[in-house]
Amino acid sequence: MEHAAEVWLVDLRQAWPVLLARAVFAVAFGLVALIWPTITLLILAWAFGIYAVIDGATQVVDGIRRRDRPRWWIGLLLGLLELAAGVLALIWPGISAVALAAVVGAWALVTGFIEIVSAIRQRRERRRPALLLLVGLASVVAGVVILAWPVHGAVALAALVGGFAVVYGILLAVLALGLRTAAQATTEPSPAPASP
């Protein structure tokens, strides 16, 4: 039991910086899409592609670096899926709004589903998965909306994807800061007993 607790503490200390970096990238991408809603589809595809490649590469490196933890391959899988979506958007930037929406929606749906499964498994291990579950649910809902909504214009797609990216990034940031606080709380030395 102590070994599992130690692994979890190490996991907390290592996970929050990666999540915070991903949150910053997500919010930056979302703001670009929201601030310039008349952005052309080509620029939107490039912005999503760059975001997805950076975020996916971050997850792949983090997954490989932490191969000693349980289910390390989930982060690696998410990173590879995101890299594939990003590369697709970069090598085929002239795709239609509907095709780009399909790529972004599928990515959000798969990512959210894996995050929900991870949150459920963490609950069984008596961790606090509420924020991860919320991030996963937001991603699934956005994926379903993006895939179901017949988006035909770049402006509508930019607003939809941008709004999702900002909300997703904020939730990731809250999760990262919560993990940081929990990691710091578990590493602080207990106060010395008062001398009589």
Side-chain angles (χ1 to χ4, degrees), residues 39-65:
I39 196 168
T40 68
L41 193 59
L42 182 67
I43 295 172
L44 183 61
W46 274 93
F48 171 74
I50 291 168
Y51 160 73
V53 166
I54 292 172
D55 193 42
T58 302
Q59 287 193 75
V60 167
V61 169
D62 186 55
I64 292 171
R65 199 181 82 219

Side-chain angles (χ1 to χ4, degrees), residues 50-119:
I50 291 168
Y51 160 73
V53 166
I54 292 172
D55 193 42
T58 302
Q59 287 193 75
V60 167
V61 169
D62 186 55
I64 292 171
R65 199 181 82 219
R66 299 193 288 154
R67 288 189 308 268
D68 56 336
R69 68 179 180 167
R71 294 181 296 281
W72 62 272
W73 56 270
I74 293 176
L76 179 65
L77 177 64
L78 279 173
L80 290 173
L81 287 171
E82 191 165 9
L83 268 174
V87 168
L88 181 63
L90 287 174
I91 63 173
W92 193 26
I95 59 178
S96 71
V98 174
L100 183 58
V103 171
V104 174
W107 165 77
L109 196 60
V110 171
T111 299
F113 177 73
I114 292 174
E115 287 167 342
I116 289 170
V117 169
S118 180

